Amino acid sequence: MSQSCAITTCKRVSRALCNCCHQNLCRDHLNEHDDLLNAQLNPLADGINKLGDQLTTISAEQILSQSHEKLNQWRQDAYKTIDHLYEQKYEEVGRFISQKIHEQQEEIVQNQFKIGRLMHEREATVDHIDALTLNIQNIEEQIKEIEQIPVRINIRPLVVDDSIIDIVETNPNQLNLSNLPPVYQTIKRSDNNSRVLATND
C-alpha cells in the first residue's frame, strides 16, 4: 500500500524514503529536499576554504617570538647563575691561596725575629740552630707545595634536567598573572572599605 508524501500540503504519493530525515517524500519534494541539503554545502565549503586561507597567513615565527623571548631570558639567567658560581669559587680559591701565603709570611717573620734576636744577643746554641734549620726546611717545603698548586678542585658535570622547562598549551580564557606588567600605581584604602575598584566592563 502506497503512502502519501510527508509534506502535509502535498497530496501526491511518496516515491522514496529519505535516509537522512526518515520521511516518505514524493519525487518533487525529494528533489527539493535534496537541493536544500546540497545548497547548505556551499557556505560550508566557503567557510572551510576561508579557514584554510587564514591558516596559511599565520606566521609561526610571530607566534613563537614570545616563547623565544622567554627561553632566551631563561638562558641568560642560567648563564648569570653559572657566572656567579664561577666568580664565587674563583674568589674562594684565591682566598685559600692567599691564606696559605700569609701563613708562610708570618712563619718567615717570626723566624727572622728569632734569628735577629739571637744575633743581637749573641746567645745562639746548637738547639737554636737545629730548631731554626728545621723551621726553614718546613717553610721551604710549604712554599714548594704552594707553588705546585695546593688546591685540588673537584668539578662535577653540570646536569640540566629537561623537565625544568615545561611546554604546555595555554587557555586563552585563563588569567595568566605572570604576563601582567609591573604595578603602575597603588591606591591606599582602609581595610573596612569594600567599594569596587574595577569591573570587567
Side-chain angles (χ1 to χ4, degrees), residues 23 32 43 52 66 85 99 127 141 163 175 182-183 192 198:
Q23 290 183 340
E32 190 178 300
Q66 188 176 4
L85 180 61
Q99 177 65 29
D127 290 340
E141 289 297 318
S163 66
L175 177 63
V183 174
N192 298 330

Side-chain angles (χ1 to χ4, degrees), residues 69-134:
E69 286 175 22
K70 206 167 191 175
L71 285 169
N72 284 335
Q73 184 61 52
W74 173 85
R75 180 173 58 179
Q76 289 172 8
D77 293 343
Y79 286 157
K80 284 179 187 173
T81 301
I82 292 170
D83 288 343
H84 178 72
L85 180 61
Y86 166 80
E87 289 167 9
Q88 180 183 337
K89 292 301 176 183
Y90 186 82
E91 289 174 7
E92 199 174 310
V93 170
R95 284 193 303 269
F96 179 81
I97 293 171
S98 295
Q99 177 65 29
K100 288 288 183 186
I101 291 171
H102 180 69
E103 287 171 4
Q104 295 314 307
Q105 285 172 337
E106 285 185 349
E107 285 287 325
I108 288 171
V109 168
Q110 287 177 9
N111 281 284
Q112 285 173 336
F113 177 75
K114 287 178 187 175
I115 292 170
R117 186 172 50 84
L118 289 171
M119 288 174 73
H120 177 69
E121 295 174 356
R122 301 186 64 82
E123 292 187 5
T125 64
V126 173
D127 290 340
H128 289 132
I129 299 298
D130 289 345
L132 287 169
T133 302
L134 185 61

Side-chain angles (χ1 to χ4, degrees), residues 3 10-12 18 26 43 52 68-69 71 75 82 95 102 124-125 128 140 144 146 157 159-160 163 165 178 193:
Q3 294 183 343
C10 181
K11 303 294 183 202
R12 289 188 285 268
C18 176
C26 68
H68 284 170
E69 286 175 22
L71 285 169
R75 180 173 58 179
I82 292 170
R95 284 193 303 269
H102 180 69
T125 64
H128 289 132
E140 189 178 3
K144 283 181 184 175
I146 292 171
V159 178
V160 179
S163 66
I165 297 177
S178 67
N193 190 345

Side-chain angles (χ1 to χ4, degrees), residues 134-152:
L134 185 61
N135 286 349
I136 290 170
Q137 288 172 350
N138 286 337
I139 292 170
E140 189 178 3
E141 289 297 318
Q142 292 293 328
I143 290 174
K144 283 181 184 175
E145 286 181 17
I146 292 171
E147 288 175 337
Q148 294 172 0
I149 306 173
V151 181
R152 188 176 78 204

